[in-house]
Amino acid sequence: MPVLEVVVFNHQPHITAQPRCGCLFSFYATTNRGLEDVAAREVEELLGVKASVGLGRVFFESSLKGALKLNLASRMLHRVVLILVRSTIESLQEVYRTAAAVDYPSFIEPAQSFAVRAERKGKHSFTSLDVASKVGQAVIDTYMALKGSRLKVNLDDPDVVIQCMLKENDFTLGVDLTGPSLHMRNYRVYDHPAALRSTIAASMLKLSGWQDTAPLLDPMCGGGTIVIEAALMARKVPPGIYRKTFAYRKLCFIDKELEAEVAEDLAEGINFEAYPIHGLDCSAKHVQGAMLNARSAGVDDTIKLEVGDALRLREILDYQPAYLVLNPPYGVRSGPSLKRIADFYLKLLRSLKEAARGARVTLITVSYDSFLKAASKVGVEVLWSRSVMHGSLKASIASFLL
Ligand SMILES: C[S@@+](CC[C@H](N)C(=O)[O-])C[C@H]1O[C@@H](n2cnc3c(N)ncnc32)[C@H](O)[C@@H]1O
């Protein structure tokens, strides 16, 4: 098996196949915009390396084993990419020249197919499709020159995906190690119509300051994303174990035994303790769905799920939650209309204050102005807030004490 040494971040990329294990490589991982710092901290904690942030991305150096560990254990990342070259470019011709400097036979076997996926941000006289097409041509030409064979392109189900990102004139090209985004946890058997991204839920839990033994409540839990992510965190279950596939399994330079080694290490950390995690929703259908999701994730024995009205919390709770993490309706996809959302938030905050005084709340909403109006009426002071992208929606996460 060839082990690669990749030298990047200079304008003369140089990639060689070397029989050396434990080499360090450059990677980037994608994540939710507005939560890059939380994802960078996770990379640092999981790998013990320094990570820096870009727009929707985290950069770091690691071994290939570290990259596999992120794929299996990360709760906040979407995709891990091994960087083959990063350079400043001014034109499509430079995209071609930069991409053509990579030693593709070290990454793609002659019988394998490939596809290029390109993203572009900034002002350019060309499209992301143009970038993908130039890079594709560079891959085919380089392979032909080095190996004398023509690689097959397969846009639907390729063996190897080359990821390109052009942000202004910063061009990064790498091999996708992940495949479908890591935020798609395979435990979800019930799809809530306004489900929160699992990676945002995990980031909110991290930002909330919640520690696993403190009583946690999501009073509007829908399909259970927040409470399930919390239970997985508490039990140290790597979310990757639910996945059926990873792009790295098809890559010739990844040692086939490496994944089992990493998975075994991670499995040793799993515990089966019970944690005080509680989810409520006013919809019996969603609570039923949350139960199915929790069962599918193997954490239904540590989450209490029940039907209840978050606006009448005091009548329901027989304990004092220390942390509330929630994703109330925004008045956009479901629930009360935008006009009535400020009034709804007012009732919600009053109910939370009545039932859980002193608790720390972390919530995400697209209707942040309505939330702020309600907060000022109830006398709730926001400790911090940040803007994040929830898919295509501009949302805010805010934290406050009741
Ligand atoms: C944005 S969704 C939450 C989605 C959830 N985070 C997930 O990932 O599946 C908001 C939820 O609030 C629930 N809800 C609305 N009003 C409620 C109330 N008064 N009490 C409890 N739940 C309520 C809705 O039924 C809906 O499931």
Side-chain angles (χ1 to χ4, degrees), residues 49-322:
V49 301
K50 285 275 338 139
S52 60
V53 299
L55 188 66
R57 293 195 292 175
V58 175
F59 294 90
F60 55 95
E61 294 200 343
S62 161
S63 62
L64 289 173
K65 188 173 178 181
L68 263 51
K69 182 174 180 184
L70 288 185
N71 272 291
L72 287 164
S74 168
R75 302 178 195 282
M76 292 156 207
L77 300 177
H78 293 163
R79 165 164 295 110
V80 183
V81 176
L82 168 65
I83 300 177
L84 303 183
V85 59
R86 185 176 181 187
S87 183
T88 303
I89 67 104
E90 300 293 344
S91 65
L92 266 184
Q93 286 66 32
E94 279 183 25
V95 167
Y96 179 89
R97 273 202 297 278
T98 305
V102 173
D103 174 29
Y104 295 103
S106 292
F107 306 95
I108 312 175
E109 292 188 317
Q112 287 188 306
S113 61
F114 81 101
V116 180
R117 314 260 191 248
E119 254 187 274
R120 189 189 61 79
K121 284 199 174 66
K123 274 197 169 170
H124 304 100
S125 58
F126 45 81
T127 65
S128 53
L129 280 180
D130 295 328
V131 174
S133 151
K134 272 284 173 240
V135 171
Q137 198 54 55
V139 175
I140 289 173
D141 294 349
T142 314
Y143 213 92
M144 180 59 89
L146 293 171
K147 276 277 193 199
S149 65
R150 190 185 161 86
L151 280 181
K152 285 188 297 290
V153 174
N154 181 342
L155 297 181
D156 297 327
D157 186 24
D159 296 317
V160 181
V161 172
I162 304 288
Q163 291 281 354
C164 301
M165 172 68 152
L166 180 61
K167 194 173 156 269
E168 305 299 347
N169 60 2
D170 177 9
F171 179 63
T172 316
L173 178 153
V175 182
D176 181 9
L177 301 185
T178 301
S181 173
L182 296 172
H183 83 269
M184 290 185 274
R185 315 273 207 245
N186 274 349
Y187 63 67
R188 240 187 214 164
V189 288
Y190 172 74
D191 266 327
H192 186 284
L196 187 63
R197 260 195 192 167
S198 58
T199 47
I200 296 183
S203 303
M204 285 174 68
L205 286 160
K206 193 76 183 168
L207 285 167
S208 74
W210 168 71
Q211 299 289 334
D212 49 24
T213 50
L216 173 74
L217 169 68
D218 176 354
M220 299 179 146
C221 70
T225 314
I226 292 170
V227 285
I228 293 172
E229 288 297 317
L232 294 176
M233 262 185 198
R235 288 188 164 173
K236 300 194 171 38
V237 176
I241 64 168
Y242 302 105
R243 276 173 77 94
K244 293 187 180 69
T245 175
F246 285 104
Y248 62 71
R249 289 191 184 145
K250 284 190 178 172
L251 298 175
C252 57
F253 58 93
I254 302 280
D255 184 341
K256 299 291 169 270
E257 276 141 43
L258 209 51
E259 179 180 344
E261 231 176 83
V262 176
E264 227 168 84
D265 287 352
L266 290 170
E268 274 173 25
I270 297 176
N271 69 77
F272 297 95
E273 303 296 317
Y275 295 93
I277 302 173
H278 186 191
L280 281 180
D281 200 283
C282 64
S283 154
K285 181 178 162 207
H286 295 329
V287 170
Q288 195 67 38
M291 283 174 174
L292 292 175
N293 286 341
R295 190 172 315 146
S296 155
V299 289
D300 53 323
D301 59 329
T302 189
I303 304 174
K304 183 175 164 195
L305 288 162
E306 59 183 334
V307 179
D309 185 352
L311 306 187
R312 304 172 69 144
L313 258 192
R314 208 169 56 170
E315 293 166 26
I316 301 169
L317 297 190
D318 55 3
Y319 71 101
Q320 172 72 25

